[in-house]
Amino acid sequence: MEFPMSLRRIILHIDMDAFFVSVEEALDPSLKSKPVIVGGNPNKRGVVAAASYAARKYGVHSAMPTSQAKRLCPHAIFLSVNHQLYTNFSKRIFKIFEKWSPRVEPVSLDEAYLDLSGCERLHGPTLKVADKIRKAIKETVGINASIGIGSNKLIAKIASAYAKPNGMLWIADGMEQKFLSPLDVGKIPGIGLKMSERLKKKGIKTAKELSKLP
C-alpha cells in the first residue's frame, strides 16, 4: 500500500562523530588526524569517554579503561573530559535542529531524533534537508555528523551507525526488512554483548533469524 507523501513518517537520527574529540579538534585543529583520547590521565583509574578514528584503528573504544587504551596506543594524546565545553557545543547544535523540525527528541549531548514527517513542502526533499543540516553543523560548530533516515527510530538509528563517519544513509519505505534481515543481531539497539552471545549460542545470528522467534 502506498501512503500519501504527507502521511509518511520520516525520522532522522543525527549523531555527531566522536563528539568529545571533535569538539577538542574544533578548538585545536592541530589535533586532527591524530590519535586523541578523551578520558583523563591514563596513569590513573578511568575510562575512555571518546576516541578519535585514528585512535580506534589501534582498538581503542569508549568505556575502555584508559590504562588499556594507553597500552594499545602509547603515542595517543590524552585529554581530560570538559563537560561544560561539550554542553555548550551541544546547545549550539540543538538550536540548528530546532530550525528544521518542531519535533526534536534528544538522546544525549551529541545525538537526537528529528521528525520531518510532513515537512517536505516546507523544506524540500529529505536528502537535501539532511545534507543541509550536516553542513550547518559543520559550518556553525565545526564538527561532523552522520545521519540515518528511516520510517521509524530503530531504522534511523541503525542507518546512522552504518553512515559513519560523516555520511548519510536513507532506508526507503518498504526496504526495512531487506536492510535488517542480514544484520548481525549485535547491531540491533538494545541487544548488548551478553545478549548477543546468548542468542548466537542458540543459533540466532541475524535479525532475520531473530524475527522468526515467537
Side-chain angles (χ1 to χ4, degrees):
M1 177 180 178
E2 283 290 327
F3 288 96
M5 186 63 72
S6 60
L7 297 180
R8 292 178 180 171
R9 292 201 71 199
I10 301 175
I11 307 299
L12 272 60
H13 179 255
I14 307 179
D15 195 6
M16 305 305 114
D17 296 336
F19 181 54
F20 293 176
V21 171
S22 295
V23 171
E24 300 290 351
E25 290 177 344
L27 296 176
D28 182 0
S30 69
L31 295 174
K32 292 183 178 180
S33 301
K34 295 180 180 179
V36 178
I37 298 172
V38 175
N41 192 332
N43 298 316
K44 297 181 180 180
R45 294 185 63 181
V47 297
V48 174
S52 68
Y53 286 94
R56 294 181 192 186
K57 292 179 180 179
Y58 293 86
V60 178
H61 58 77
S62 297
M64 171 184 287
T66 50
S67 57
Q68 183 181 354
K70 185 179 181 180
R71 289 196 296 272
L72 291 172
C73 189
H75 59 292
I77 300 170
F78 284 83
L79 301 174
S80 298
V81 177
N82 188 333
H83 288 293
Q84 187 59 55
L85 175 64
Y86 309 143
T87 298
N88 291 339
F89 268 69
S90 176
K91 290 178 179 178
R92 293 167 62 192
I93 292 168
F94 274 81
K95 284 184 179 180
I96 295 173
F97 294 162
E98 292 164 1
K99 294 179 180 179
W100 293 96
S101 173
R103 296 182 292 273
V104 178
E105 181 181 332
V107 178
S108 62
L109 286 177
D110 66 326
E111 64 176 308
Y113 293 102
L114 272 66
D115 190 340
L116 291 182
S117 306
C119 293
E120 296 92 340
R121 291 184 180 179
L122 178 63
H123 298 312
T126 300
L127 279 176
K128 288 187 177 181
V129 172
D131 193 43
K132 288 179 180 178
I133 294 173
R134 287 174 60 246
K135 288 179 179 177
I137 295 171
K138 182 65 175 180
E139 293 170 0
T140 305
V141 186
I143 64 176
N144 294 326
S146 296
I147 301 180
I149 309 167
S151 57
N152 58 57
K153 292 192 290 186
L154 176 68
I155 296 294
K157 184 173 178 64
I158 297 175
S160 71
Y162 274 86
K164 285 184 171 293
N166 194 30
M168 298 190 300
L169 178 60
W170 186 2
I171 308 304
D173 288 350
M175 298 298 291
E176 293 89 350
Q177 185 174 356
K178 185 175 182 179
F179 171 65
L180 289 175
S181 290
L183 294 187
D184 186 292
V185 289
K187 298 292 185 180
I188 301 174
I191 296 183
L193 180 60
K194 290 184 178 180
M195 176 60 74
S196 177
E197 291 175 348
R198 287 175 59 189
L199 289 170
K200 289 177 180 178
K201 285 181 180 179
K202 295 179 180 293
I204 303 165
K205 300 179 181 179
T206 66
K208 183 178 181 179
E209 293 168 340
L210 181 64
S211 70
K212 294 179 179 179
L213 292 180

